[in-house]
Amino acid sequence: RSTFKVLFYTKNQSIKNGRVPVMGRITVNGTTASFSCKRDVPLALWDAKGTAPGANPTSTAAEQDLDNIKAQIGKHYQYLSDHDSLLTAKRVYDRYNGFGDEYIR
């Protein structure tokens, strides 16, 4: 049995023009890998749950981007859990980024 979680958060110490970068963290069996999502959102739109809720186009686009990232990471996690005995957050992150032998996108 394995634990798996993807969390998004903002790097509030890097506010630029009212926007903050969105960071991600993958946790697998107690190991973590943090990364930049290469996206930024207005700080006013971000909530404590790690989402950018709302009906405006900026919120909707941000939510779709983050959902897509989470789904892609989930695919790579599932592949590794099916085919590999050594499962760590770093291996999932590396596979998501295209490092390693074979990968799917």
Side-chain angles (χ1 to χ4, degrees):
R1 182 142 160 67
S2 173
T3 62
F4 170 70
K5 179 104 173 137
V6 178
L7 169 80
F8 297 107
Y9 60 97
T10 57
K11 194 172 181 181
N12 291 343
Q13 62 267 33
S14 300
I15 296 175
K16 225 182 241 184
N17 298 325
R19 297 179 72 85
V20 291
V22 178
M23 306 295 290
R25 181 182 306 130
I26 302 168
T27 305
V28 177
N29 296 333
T31 64
T32 62
S34 297
F35 59 96
S36 169
C37 294
K38 295 180 179 51
R39 312 235 180 338
D40 60 10
V41 295
L43 182 58
L45 292 181
W46 195 258
D47 72 1
K49 293 183 213 163
T51 58
N56 65 53
T58 303
S59 291
T60 303
E63 280 296 304
Q64 287 175 344
D65 286 348
L66 296 179
D67 286 345
N68 185 34
I69 291 170
K70 191 172 190 174
Q72 292 297 318
I73 291 171
K75 284 182 191 178
H76 294 292
Y77 166 78
Q78 189 61 51
Y79 178 88
L80 286 172
S81 67
D82 290 345
H83 294 90
D84 214 332
S85 61
L86 178 61
L87 192 57
T88 65
K90 174 97 170 89
R91 294 203 61 203
V92 174
Y93 172 72
D94 286 347
R95 187 170 173 82
Y96 168 70
N97 276 313
F99 301 129
D101 299 338
E102 304 170 19
Y103 66 96
I104 54 175
R105 272 249 181 201

